[in-house]
Amino acid sequence: MAASAARAGHRVTAVDAFGDIDLRMVAEVLPSGNESGRFSPAAAAEAGQTVSASLAAYTSNFENYPDAVAALAAGRRLLGNSPAVLRRVRNPITLMRALRARGFTVPETRASPPDARSLGRRWLLKPRRSGGGHGTSAWYPGTAVSRRSYVQERIPGPSGSIMFLADGRRTVSLGLSRQLVGDPAFGAHGFRYCGSLLGTTRRPVFDRQDHLLDAAQAVAAAVTEDFGLVGLNGIDFIARSGMLYPIEVNPRYSASMELVERATGLSLFDLHSAACRGLLLTGGRSIARLVTGKAIVFARRDVIVGEGLRWTAGGDLADLPHPGERIRRGHPICTIFATGTDASACTQRLRAGAGRIYRMIESRARGAA
């Protein structure tokens, strides 16, 4: 998002937990995070109060911390959903009730353990302050459900997201992405998000993609009308047998959105800013010809980035670590990009790129030892 804003001509200050090489090329960076890499939205908002800026925008996982959003926006124009909107749309029970009232099919979502009649189904235990699959696990009978978590029916099928603009009343779709989740080729496991594939009408990433897009657009329109969403937003879903099951709203710029900018040349920050002012603009869109993908490469063990490594920002790499930086197991090394004639070809290129990163990083680490 910072890179998109910089390309749109803005002077950008980014409050960030990593301060990667390529971020520092486009923005002044205020570090926010401890040695373990944990990022606190409250601390980030406090750091942002020292910045002289007239506009404020946020990414993950500020949507789970409305008070931090309020602090970030104090004295500035907020580009994004307000704290009041976040409190409602990020309540999973409220969201699913609203969608069910609209006639949509949704997974059963509960604040308490399923009753005996529901135990034949499979369930997930999710944190209310969720993001990227962190903390999600299978729920088993007898497991307590705390006030910080909820239980959701587990729907088998590929997961995806619709990306869209909203002005509080209307929506414009930017596309569907298919999520890469728990792929060990990228050092991920379980329900952890590790990348996305952006398809096109001619290069779909889902079966019956046109049908899914129509259904996803209907859900996006309903959520926008009921909750007053503005700017860039995403809705995660599960696709099963041509049916779409919405599972979560991401009421902010999400990880898959940079693929739209790479594939089409659209300035997402400009579109986001305009939508927050009530203008839904999509003019000048170019047509993507290939499937465009990204993958986050997670460290498979503790590594130290070699001093002799030379990263090249742009092209097929981003979120580049600094030489000498220690990266703990399970933490991101970098992001890679690829294109392909279909979802399978794009995924294979991403996996090959991850293999090259591991050979480069891990061989240097062994040599240093």
Side-chain angles (χ1 to χ4, degrees):
M1 191 178 195
S4 180
R7 284 191 291 268
H10 295 275
R11 178 184 173 189
V12 182
T13 299
V15 184
D16 183 76
F18 298 98
D20 294 325
I21 290 174
D22 45 327
L23 179 60
R24 293 183 181 277
M25 294 172 65
V26 299
E28 179 182 352
V29 177
L30 294 182
S32 180
N34 56 31
E35 292 183 357
S36 67
R38 294 185 64 84
F39 183 89
S40 163
E46 183 177 357
Q49 290 174 355
T50 67
V51 179
S52 176
S54 59
L55 305 174
Y58 58 89
T59 61
S60 178
N61 62 353
F62 264 83
E63 70 275 13
N64 295 319
Y65 299 87
D67 290 344
V69 171
L72 185 72
R76 306 185 177 104
R77 182 160 67 86
L78 179 65
L79 298 181
N81 290 296
S82 70
V85 170
L86 297 179
R87 288 188 180 95
R88 292 188 64 233
V89 79
R90 287 296 293 172
N91 183 316
I93 311 302
T94 300
L95 173 65
M96 292 303 163
R97 284 176 179 167
L99 289 174
R100 189 178 294 111
R102 287 270 195 154
F104 293 104
T105 302
V106 298
E108 185 175 347
T109 303
R110 306 172 54 95
S112 59
D115 56 32
R117 295 172 297 175
S118 303
L119 294 182
R121 287 179 277 173
R122 300 173 70 191
W123 299 86
L124 294 174
L125 182 65
K126 295 184 172 184
R128 287 181 179 258
R129 290 178 171 176
S130 62
H134 294 279
T136 298
S137 62
W139 180 87
Y140 298 101
T143 303
V145 180
S146 74
R147 296 178 63 183
R148 296 182 178 180
S149 60
Y150 66 100
V151 177
Q152 189 171 73
E153 181 184 2
R154 183 173 183 177
I155 307 295
S159 58
S161 178
I162 181 172
M163 299 159 284
F164 62 97
L165 290 163
D167 67 357
R169 298 175 294 109
R170 302 166 299 154
T171 62
V172 172
S173 170
L174 296 175
L176 285 186
S177 66
R178 181 164 177 160
Q179 295 178 349
L180 303 176
V181 178
D183 191 330
F186 308 115
H189 62 276
F191 300 96
R192 191 166 199 184
Y193 169 83
C194 56
S196 295
L197 305 174
L198 176 68
T200 70
T201 300
R202 295 184 178 180
R203 309 283 185 180
V205 291
F206 291 100
D207 293 334
R208 302 179 65 187
Q209 179 157 307
D210 290 345
H211 175 75
L212 286 176
L213 178 59
D214 289 342
Q217 288 173 332
V219 172
V223 172
T224 296
E225 290 175 4
D226 285 354
F227 294 91
L229 298 179
V230 297
L232 287 165
N233 297 271
I235 297 178
D236 291 346
F237 61 82
I238 300 296
R240 180 186 182 191
S241 302
M243 291 284 292
L244 180 140
Y245 295 81
I247 57 174
E248 184 178 60
V249 174
N250 294 311
R252 38 77 180 166
Y253 184 99
S254 63
S256 57
M257 290 178 180
E258 64 181 322
L259 295 178
V260 176
E261 190 153 338
R262 292 177 69 91
T264 67
L266 290 169
S267 172
L268 288 195
F269 191 86
D270 276 350
L271 295 179
H272 178 60
S273 178
C276 291
R277 301 194 309 272
L279 302 174
L280 295 181
L281 305 176
T282 58
R285 179 186 302 192
S286 61
I287 300 175
R289 300 182 183 275
L290 297 170
V291 173
T292 306
K294 65 175 286 185
I296 304 166
V297 182
F298 295 97
R300 299 184 294 195
R301 57 187 178 85
D302 291 0
V303 296
I304 298 176
V305 179
E307 294 287 349
L309 293 180
R310 292 292 178 263
W311 304 89
T312 303
D316 61 354
L317 291 176
D319 305 320
L320 307 178
H322 297 271
E325 184 175 339
R326 181 181 180 86
I327 302 175
R328 298 184 182 277
R329 179 184 177 183
H331 288 226
I333 298 173
C334 66
T335 301
I336 58 177
F337 299 92
T339 58
T341 54
D342 56 28
S344 177
C346 187
T347 302
Q348 288 305 315
R349 290 185 177 182
L350 290 171
R351 288 172 176 163
R356 290 191 294 271
I357 295 296
Y358 286 129
R359 288 192 294 273
M360 181 170 62
I361 290 286
E362 294 178 349
S363 64
R364 293 295 181 114
R366 284 194 294 270

